[in-house]
Amino acid sequence: MAGPTALVSALHEELAAVLGLMPDEQQQVFGGRSFWRGHLHGHDVVAVLSGIGKVAAATTATALIERFGVQRIVFTGVAGGLAPGVRVGDVVVARQFLQHDMDASPIFPRHEVPGYGRSTFDADTALTDELVRASEQVLRELPATLGLDVTKAFGLDAPRCHQGLLLSGDRFVSTTAESTTLRTVLPDALAVEMEGAAVAQVCHDYGVPLGVLRTISDRADDAAHVDFPHFLREVASRYSGAIVEALLRQK
Ligand code: SAH
């Protein structure tokens, strides 16, 4: 394969999990970000923190493509569950992305990205299939190793892997009123976060395959802020580390 695989994390705890798997990473600072170049299971990789929000994520993706010539991007993070069966501790692997805060109406239909004639962008099918396989494998094994206190604290119960529409916007959705509105307006949405659809637009522009995986940290409701750092440390960063490792072990 030409070019490294990009491993992008939205939050520090997840990047730390990925860096922990790389034996030989070298730091390169570019565009105000630290890019970590090295290897993971024999794959040439670049790991980086995207930062939070669509602009930070789009800038990171562009730098990865322009500066490092990455041949695919794998993004991990957490998200708020929207669809009824998408619970804390589940994993969502995106098949499509939509910016829920994009609204240039009445000039363009609501959610349509001006100039593209579309409101959704697609994940790469083959990479996403691999991510689903890796996620299902990790969800079969990892939850049992988390410890009863963690399982109880977050009400984890037989975590599942979902595939479908992921929403992104520059808002942390943390009221029941807002998540109810999102569910009503976009009934197919599985979960909401703040970066995926921006990276998907950049990947569409450059023709770079993208796979995005999100661990559900909250239900995007009035309780969405509860124990976020604890969840990141104890659950989400372990999931993303293990899933990235399982993904890169596949070939
Ligand atoms: N408390 C965190 C900030 C998290 S911001 C900190 O101290 O750094 C939210 C991050 O989690 C973003 O990367 C976003 O993509 C994701 N996320 C998780 N739940 C979300 C929700 N309910 N709404 C929007 N983004 C969410």
Side-chain angles (χ1 to χ4, degrees), residues 10-11 13 51-53 77-81 169 171-174 192-195 214-215 217-221 224 228-229 232:
L11 302 165
E13 292 83 347
I52 293 170
V78 288
R171 299 179 58 78
F172 184 75
V173 179
S174 59
V192 59
E193 38 83 305
M194 301 177 70
E195 298 86 17
R214 294 280 175 169
T215 304
S217 55
D218 59 85
R219 282 286 304 169
D221 56 12
F228 199 73
L232 279 179

Side-chain angles (χ1 to χ4, degrees), residues 59-95:
T59 304
T60 306
T62 308
L64 283 165
I65 294 165
E66 289 280 0
R67 188 78 175 197
F68 295 90
V70 298
Q71 49 93 20
R72 57 182 186 167
I73 294 180
V74 177
F75 197 112
T76 65
V78 288
L82 287 175
V86 179
R87 299 180 306 167
V88 171
D90 284 0
V91 163
V92 166
V93 180
R95 291 279 176 190

Side-chain angles (χ1 to χ4, degrees), residues 85-168:
V86 179
R87 299 180 306 167
V88 171
D90 284 0
V91 163
V92 166
V93 180
R95 291 279 176 190
Q96 291 95 32
F97 306 89
L98 180 146
Q99 298 176 41
H100 68 81
D101 56 352
M102 176 60 76
D103 188 358
S105 62
I107 308 164
F108 296 93
R110 188 164 177 203
H111 299 135
E112 182 170 309
V113 182
Y116 290 78
R118 60 196 292 167
S119 55
T120 60
F121 292 92
D122 297 327
D124 180 72
T125 304
L127 180 54
T128 300
D129 289 347
E130 287 177 39
L131 261 181
V132 168
R133 269 200 301 279
S135 303
E136 286 176 342
Q137 183 194 327
V138 166
L139 286 182
R140 271 196 301 275
E141 296 159 8
L142 192 73
T145 69
L146 291 177
L148 211 56
D149 49 336
V150 172
T151 308
K152 267 203 185 141
F154 299 109
L156 306 182
D157 177 27
R160 291 177 50 201
C161 176
H162 310 265
Q163 310 170 43
L165 178 64
L166 185 66
L167 306 184
S168 309

